[in-house]
Amino acid sequence: MLLPTVPRIRLRAAVQSAIDTPFGPLTFTTAIGNTGLPLLPDELFELPGGRTVARWVRPAARVELLLTPYDPELDPETWGPLTDCRAAVWRIDVFAPLGCVQFSAGLSARLPEGADAGYDGGQALAAITVEDEKTRLTVGGDDAEAICWAADAGEVPRRWAALIDEVHNHSFSTWGVDFGHNGMSWTLPPLEAGDHCELPVIAAWAPVTDESANTWYAVMASPTVLLRQVAAESAQRADAPEAG
């Protein structure tokens, strides 16, 4: 379960969870086996600071999606300022064996004329970057190598650490990250009852004239880093004295 100690308010789920970007909404979908979860969650909660957690519950799994502002704390002496940065943490808690789970993040709107999008991954990062004459947007998350490394942090099942040999030998074909023109899709290795998995997705944008690659470095955080920042900021809000 995501952030169980952070206070929340139940909301009415009226729209699909999305991150608003300069190139349209970044939307998220989940498929368990051959069945896609509905766009509207079963439950929606507001957390401090305008954050939300959407939740879907099925007999085989519980899926949650946190949307939050994110400060990547880039060194201002090295990186130019971002226009904005937003993040998502997707989590699945498994109640019964699952052979196939897929999570996707993509820009739902058609890109405007003059905008280019392409693969921009590397260094354990799966990413795409979209640019036009004014703005550069990078959307990033874990690649297959990073998913294996995440086992050490407890973000994915421990046994997935051994899958790094498949990644290095390019022998895996049933799981990994697929890239489309406007987004990415993560197909997970098989999951067993009692497993959980957390995946990050970060969107950062800045003026295209900034050549410091700030958006690329901004999207490299782990789920643990993102959740820690949310928990810390929520605690600060709870401890702050009320105005008046």
Side-chain angles (χ1 to χ4, degrees), residues 78-90:
T78 304
W79 314 111
L82 297 170
T83 304
D84 204 353
C85 188
R86 301 276 163 165
V89 176
W90 176 90

Side-chain angles (χ1 to χ4, degrees), residues 46-66:
E46 182 180 23
L47 278 60
R51 300 169 173 91
T52 60
V53 170
R55 179 183 295 157
W56 297 257
V57 180
R58 296 295 181 271
R62 177 178 63 226
V63 173
E64 294 178 300
L65 180 68
L66 166 73

Side-chain angles (χ1 to χ4, degrees), residues 13 65 162 181 220 244:
L65 180 68
H181 186 61
M220 301 180 76

Side-chain angles (χ1 to χ4, degrees), residues 100-114:
C100 182
V101 173
Q102 189 175 75
F103 170 61
S104 300
L107 296 170
S108 59
R110 182 176 181 179
L111 294 181
E113 187 174 351

Side-chain angles (χ1 to χ4, degrees), residues 119-128 138-146 179 184 215-217 219-221:
Y119 169 79
D120 199 16
Q123 298 183 8
L125 177 70
I128 63 167
T138 301
V139 178
D142 287 354
D143 69 1
E145 186 176 39
F179 293 85
M184 295 169 286
T215 61
W216 197 82
Y217 280 91
V219 301
M220 301 180 76

Side-chain angles (χ1 to χ4, degrees), residues 205-222:
W205 55 98
V208 74
T209 51
D210 189 310
E211 299 180 356
S212 68
N214 52 354
T215 61
W216 197 82
Y217 280 91
V219 301
M220 301 180 76
S222 71

